[in-house]
Amino acid sequence: MAISNRERIGRALDLLLEGLYPYVEREMRSVYRDKWLVAATPFVSEDRTLRRSVEQILKKDVYALLKLIWNQWHEAFKKTLGNAEKNLVGELMVTRNSWAHNDSFSSDDAYRALDSIARLLTAISATEADTVEKQKQELLRIRFDEQARRETKKAAVTAVETQPAGGLKPWREIVTPHPDVASGRYQEAEFAADLWQVHLDEGSDEYRLPTEFFRRTYLTEGLKQLLANALLRLSGIGGNPVIEL
């Protein structure tokens, strides 16, 4: 079943959380040693409802990690990341908030989010970047298929709306109607077979005589299956008793 763009972004944010936490802990420890959680506390929103510790919040909330990187940029993260990565952090904070507030995402929005996540994960050498890259490629394939379908539909509509080329003869001059139709003597009832008349060997030759009937009838695959099924039932060796018309 196809997933929504919001679901794609949610999965990518989960991967970002998995890859980002070890990096954040490592860089914070390199500066603050065993006091790194104390240093992080002022930048982590207090969780009074669940009473989670700062460490638990950082392990479960990607926004808390991104916010910590942003606020501790000069102290702990500037030495391993550049300004481009800082911009990605700010962008992904906005993306995560939009996702958390159930905003809608276009395919372009989703690709932008996945690309930014993949870039940040790659910058910190996180293995989760490979999975996000695969998600990006899958989204590109879906976008290409959608675009191809739109172009095909557009071409079909254009073809229908195009004016016919000049010099074409009217269909009445090309198609020769049946004599009874041309003379106005046809009866609408004769366009449908009366099986009881066929059983009594009455009616027009088109329905009464097998050679005439099949000379005028094109055996489609559906009609072939219908006839084969009828023969099986009449022979008592199978066949479906119910036929969908």
Side-chain angles (χ1 to χ4, degrees):
M1 183 176 68
I3 65 174
S4 65
N5 289 326
R6 185 176 181 279
E7 289 175 315
R8 289 190 180 91
I9 294 175
R11 294 180 181 183
L13 288 173
D14 288 340
L15 291 168
L16 179 61
L17 175 65
E18 293 176 14
L20 205 56
Y21 179 82
Y23 165 77
V24 170
E25 180 180 359
R26 182 179 69 245
E27 297 305 314
M28 289 291 288
R29 281 186 181 276
S30 69
V31 176
Y32 299 104
R33 307 302 177 186
D34 293 338
K35 300 293 184 179
W36 76 275
L37 287 172
V38 177
T41 299
F43 310 107
V44 178
S45 299
E46 185 179 359
D47 192 342
R48 295 180 178 178
T49 304
L50 299 178
R51 297 184 181 279
R52 295 184 299 178
S53 65
V54 171
E55 184 177 14
Q56 290 172 328
I57 294 173
L58 291 173
K59 287 183 176 180
K60 296 294 183 180
D61 189 352
V62 69
Y63 181 80
L65 288 173
L66 293 169
K67 184 179 177 182
L68 180 58
I69 294 175
W70 185 267
N71 286 284
Q72 284 284 296
W73 180 260
H74 293 287
E75 292 79 5
F77 301 101
K78 185 177 181 180
K79 60 183 178 181
T80 55
L81 296 176
N83 289 331
E85 286 72 39
K86 184 179 181 181
N87 291 335
L88 290 175
V89 170
E91 176 187 330
L92 290 173
M93 290 171 66
V94 175
T95 299
R96 182 270 178 189
N97 280 343
S98 297
W99 175 86
H101 288 90
N102 293 317
D103 290 351
S104 60
F105 295 91
S106 66
S107 295
D108 288 339
D109 294 334
Y111 184 83
R112 172 70 176 266
L114 265 59
D115 183 61
S116 297
I117 291 172
R119 288 174 182 269
L120 185 55
L121 288 171
T122 300
I124 62 175
S125 302
T127 57
E128 288 79 5
D130 294 337
T131 305
V132 179
E133 282 293 338
K134 292 178 181 178
Q135 293 178 352
K136 280 175 53 182
Q137 296 306 314
E138 175 65 14
L139 182 56
L140 276 179
R141 183 189 64 78
I142 293 173
R143 290 175 64 193
F144 175 81
D145 290 344
E146 290 176 349
Q147 183 178 4
R149 283 194 295 270
R150 286 196 298 268
E151 291 299 325
T152 300
K153 185 177 181 180
K154 181 179 178 181
V157 171
T158 302
V160 171
E161 294 178 348
T162 301
Q163 295 295 325
L168 294 178
K169 294 182 179 180
W171 68 268
R172 299 176 183 83
E173 297 181 13
I174 300 174
V175 178
T176 303
H178 198 271
D180 58 350
V181 176
S183 62
R185 293 183 290 102
Y186 75 94
Q187 298 181 20
E188 292 186 4
E190 293 184 355
F191 281 84
D194 187 330
L195 297 181
W196 181 246
Q197 280 191 331
V198 174
H199 175 69
L200 297 176
D201 197 24
E202 297 176 355
S204 61
D205 291 346
E206 286 89 343
Y207 296 118
R208 189 172 56 83
L209 301 178
T211 53
E212 286 297 316
F213 176 81
F214 286 106
R215 186 172 67 84
R216 298 166 181 265
T217 303
Y218 173 71
L219 289 178
T220 62
E221 287 300 319
L223 186 55
K224 289 179 183 179
Q225 294 176 7
L226 177 64
L227 293 173
N229 185 76
L231 289 174
L232 290 174
R233 291 296 297 173
L234 292 173
S235 303
I237 55 175
N240 195 334
V242 179
I243 299 173
E244 293 187 15
L245 298 179

